[in-house]
Amino acid sequence: MSDNKTTLTDAVHDLLRKAIIEQALKPGMRLPEDTVGEQFGVSRTIVRHALVRLENQGLVVTRRNRGAFVAEPSKEEAQHVFAVRRCLEKEVVRILCQGMAQSGYDRLEAHLRREHSVNGKNGPVSIRLAGEFHMLLAELTGNDVLARFVGDVVLRCSLIMSLYARSHSSDCAVDEHSQIIEAIRQGDAPRAIEIMEHHLGAVANRAELSSKPENIKAILSHYGRDLAQ
C-alpha cells in the first residue's frame, strides 16, 4: 500500500474509531463501504482496509453477504475482556512505579485537565477520554507490545460501556485517575495496583455485566427499597 493510501486508511480508521467510542455509531449499526467512502471522500478500498483494522481491534464485525457492522459484544465476552484488562493494567502501573520521567507526569496531568473540562457535560467524550488516559499510562511504560494490547482492550471496553453501561457521573473516575498518578509518583506499587483494581472493578460494575433474573420479584424489589425509606 502506498504512503498516501496508508495515511488515508489511518485517518478513516481513526475517525470511525472515534465515532464508535463516542457512541455516535451504535453497536449493531451497519457500516456500508460506499456510504463511508462518500462521506470521507475516499475509495471503498481505503474504507475496507480501515474496517479490517477495526475488526482486528474488536470494534467491528463482518457478516457474510451483509457487510460490516459495529460490534455487539456478548456479556460473557465483555467479562473476559475486563478480566484481561485488569491483568494488563496491573502490570502497567507496576512498571511505572519503578520510575517515570517528569514529562510523563506532565502529559498525564494535561490529560486530567481535559477530562475535568468535559466532566458532566459530554458523557460520550468523557468515556473516550477516560479510555485514552489508560492508553497513555500504557504508552508511558515504553513497552510497545504492552501498550498495543492495552490499547486494543481499552477500546473494546469503551464499546462495551456504550452497550451495557447505565448512566453515571464520571466524577469518581477522574478522581481515581488522580489517585493513580499520585501513587505512581510515590513509587507505591501495591497502592497503585489496589486503586487500579478498584477503579476497573467500578467500571465493570457500571456495565452491569452480571446476569439478572427477569421476573417481577426481581424487578419490583429494586423499587420496593424506596418504599422502605
Side-chain angles (χ1 to χ4, degrees):
M1 187 182 296
S2 69
D3 290 343
N4 185 50
K5 283 187 177 180
T6 301
T7 302
L8 287 174
T9 299
D10 289 343
V12 173
H13 165 270
D14 292 348
L15 289 171
L16 288 174
R17 181 183 63 182
K18 183 177 180 180
I20 292 171
I21 299 307
E22 292 190 355
Q23 304 174 22
L25 294 174
K26 305 290 186 182
M29 187 173 287
R30 188 166 177 266
L31 301 170
E33 292 177 3
D34 53 351
T35 301
V36 175
E38 287 172 7
Q39 291 302 307
F40 292 150
V42 298
S43 68
R44 292 181 61 173
T45 301
I46 295 294
V47 174
R48 195 172 301 121
H49 284 301
L51 291 173
V52 167
R53 288 179 57 184
L54 291 167
E55 185 169 21
N56 290 337
Q57 293 174 317
L59 298 182
V60 164
V61 294
T62 301
R63 297 171 184 164
R64 188 174 182 181
N65 299 324
R66 296 185 62 197
F69 295 78
V70 179
E72 297 179 276
S74 68
K75 286 192 174 184
E76 182 180 17
E77 180 183 352
Q79 290 170 337
H80 293 165
V81 170
F82 271 103
V84 171
R85 180 175 178 179
R86 283 193 292 270
C87 293
L88 291 174
E89 296 219 49
K90 284 195 293 184
E91 179 64 9
V92 166
V93 294
R94 187 193 67 78
I95 293 172
L96 293 178
C97 282
Q98 296 175 357
M100 182 169 61
Q102 182 56 46
S103 59
Y105 291 108
D106 292 341
R107 291 179 65 188
L108 289 169
E109 295 291 350
H111 190 88
L112 272 187
R113 288 193 291 273
R114 291 178 62 199
E115 289 193 74
H116 279 294
S117 70
V118 301
N119 210 10
K121 301 174 183 176
N122 193 322
V125 174
S126 291
I127 290 176
R128 175 173 60 82
L129 289 176
E132 289 176 355
F133 171 82
H134 291 266
M135 294 164 71
L136 176 56
L137 283 176
E139 178 188 336
L140 291 171
T141 66
N143 185 324
D144 293 340
V145 176
L146 179 59
R148 185 168 65 252
F149 284 136
V150 169
D152 286 350
V153 80
V154 166
L155 289 173
R156 294 180 73 176
C157 283
S158 296
L159 174 62
I160 289 164
M161 294 300 290
S162 74
L163 185 58
Y164 293 114
R166 60 183 183 269
S167 298
H168 68 281
S169 168
S170 57
D171 292 349
C172 58
V174 179
D175 182 59
E176 286 181 342
H177 287 177
S178 298
Q179 293 177 36
I180 290 168
I181 294 174
E182 186 56 32
I184 292 172
R185 195 187 302 273
Q186 294 174 4
D188 189 343
R191 176 62 177 157
I193 290 172
E194 179 186 10
I195 298 170
M196 181 64 81
E197 286 187 322
H198 179 272
H199 175 57
L200 294 180
V203 173
N205 287 339
R206 288 198 295 271
E208 296 186 330
L209 299 179
S210 299
S211 298
K212 297 182 179 179
E214 295 296 335
N215 58 61
I216 190 167
K217 286 185 178 180
I219 294 169
L220 294 183
S221 66
H222 173 76
Y223 290 90
R225 297 185 197 128
D226 293 336
L227 185 62
Q229 293 177 354

